[in-house]
Amino acid sequence: MIKCLAIDDEPLALQLLADNISRIPFLELVASCDDAFAANKMIQEQSIDLIFIDIQMPGITGLQFIQSLVKKPMVIIVTAYKQYALDGFALDVVDYLMKPVSLDRFMKACNKAKDLYELKQSAEHTNLPKQDYMFVNVGYSLMKINFSEITYVEGLKDYIQIHISSSPKAAVVRMSMKNVEDQLPIYFERIHKSFIVNINKVTAIRKNALFIADKELPVSDSYKQVIEKLIK
């Protein structure tokens, strides 16, 4: 069972959220909270895997609350405000639901959370070496990407593009550069605030640039040591 927490300052919305959660067989509602302070206390006392949270709440907004969490559970935002969607996905939320939420749309978001939960559980319990792939949210699907096939990652403000040698089309993902950098193995190097490269794919080097096939990628002054490392 996935233990979850519902957070909304509107009593009716909180009750509807609890009712929807009760319909999903793999979810267990641990508690319902009407503000972020009560939710934070509950997270400190209980093991929570998933939180459903509104954005506009008194005191601390839902986005501020997510940012404040050190050990963050999976998050599904449920709100009436569509203008915060980019901010939400930048925080790596599982899904962003607009009120009123239909049951089928709610189930789709919960199934995404279930897939991620099972992947994490599998990784934690395996005795195999660190995996050589990752799963990322592309649209409404989880896409498996092998690290060895990534040529470079490009940051584009609110999302990233993962360029793959086996596909002419990059995977567009709502994820921060920092988050993807933390997941990549040691043969990836940051060369610019907007670029991370697979050094095994580098075909040529210039003073201020690296090449992967015919693609020229800039190297900023802050990362000049990467070129020195490659040459040595």
Side-chain angles (χ1 to χ4, degrees):
M1 297 289 285
I2 298 176
K3 295 184 178 181
C4 56
L5 190 64
I7 311 167
D8 199 310
D9 65 313
E10 298 178 8
L12 179 58
L14 193 58
Q15 182 57 54
L16 289 173
L17 185 53
D19 288 343
N20 278 344
I21 291 171
S22 70
R23 296 170 183 264
I24 309 299
F26 52 82
L27 295 184
E28 176 188 345
L29 181 61
V30 175
S32 297
C33 302
D34 58 8
D35 63 51
F37 300 103
N40 186 62
K41 184 175 185 295
M42 186 60 61
I43 288 175
Q44 299 299 321
E45 297 174 351
Q46 299 279 344
S47 176
I48 303 296
D49 304 306
L50 171 66
I51 61 176
F52 296 86
I53 188 167
D54 190 16
I55 287 182
Q56 293 287 11
M57 297 188 297
I60 298 176
T61 69
L63 294 177
Q64 290 171 333
F65 177 69
I66 296 168
Q67 288 176 311
S68 72
L69 296 175
V70 177
K71 188 176 181 181
K72 187 173 70 176
M74 296 181 293
V75 178
I76 294 176
I77 291 176
V78 186
T79 182
Y81 300 91
K82 64 181 179 180
Q83 65 265 36
Y84 299 107
L86 292 179
D87 295 324
F89 282 113
L91 294 173
D92 299 323
V93 301
V94 174
D95 213 335
Y96 191 99
L97 304 180
M98 291 293 300
K99 297 177 182 178
V101 184
S102 64
L103 184 58
D104 63 327
R105 182 67 183 88
F106 186 81
M107 289 179 63
K108 183 178 289 187
C110 294
N111 284 331
K112 288 174 67 177
K114 180 174 180 287
D115 289 341
L116 287 172
Y117 177 79
E118 290 175 347
L119 284 171
K120 290 177 181 178
Q121 291 294 304
S122 176
E124 288 175 0
H125 291 91
T126 183
N127 291 321
L128 296 175
K130 187 177 180 181
Q131 63 190 33
D132 57 0
Y133 61 87
M134 65 179 176
F135 280 88
V136 294
N137 284 309
V138 178
Y140 293 111
S141 301
L142 286 171
M143 179 180 177
K144 181 182 179 182
I145 298 180
N146 294 319
F147 293 138
S148 61
E149 293 186 351
I150 299 174
T151 54
Y152 66 97
V153 179
E154 182 176 3
L156 297 172
K157 195 176 179 180
D158 296 311
Y159 55 92
I160 61 171
Q161 286 188 336
I162 303 176
H163 296 263
I164 309 165
S165 58
S166 60
S167 173
K169 188 176 181 181
V172 180
V173 184
R174 296 284 184 191
M175 182 185 288
S176 68
M177 288 288 280
K178 179 64 170 64
N179 186 276
V180 72
E181 186 177 18
D182 289 343
Q183 297 186 53
L184 294 172
I186 59 173
Y187 53 87
F188 283 84
E189 293 280 1
R190 187 81 170 260
I191 62 168
H192 189 278
K193 67 177 183 179
S194 300
F195 291 100
I196 300 170
V197 301
N198 181 342
I199 59 176
N200 294 327
K201 304 291 186 181
V202 173
T203 55
I205 300 173
R206 285 186 185 169
K207 183 178 180 181
N208 298 309
L210 297 179
F211 287 81
I212 296 178
D214 59 350
K215 179 65 178 181
E216 181 177 356
L217 302 174
V219 178
S220 66
D221 291 339
S222 302
Y223 297 96
K224 284 292 182 63
Q225 72 274 11
V226 175
I227 289 182
E228 296 173 7
K229 180 180 176 181
L230 287 174
I231 293 173
K232 291 178 180 178

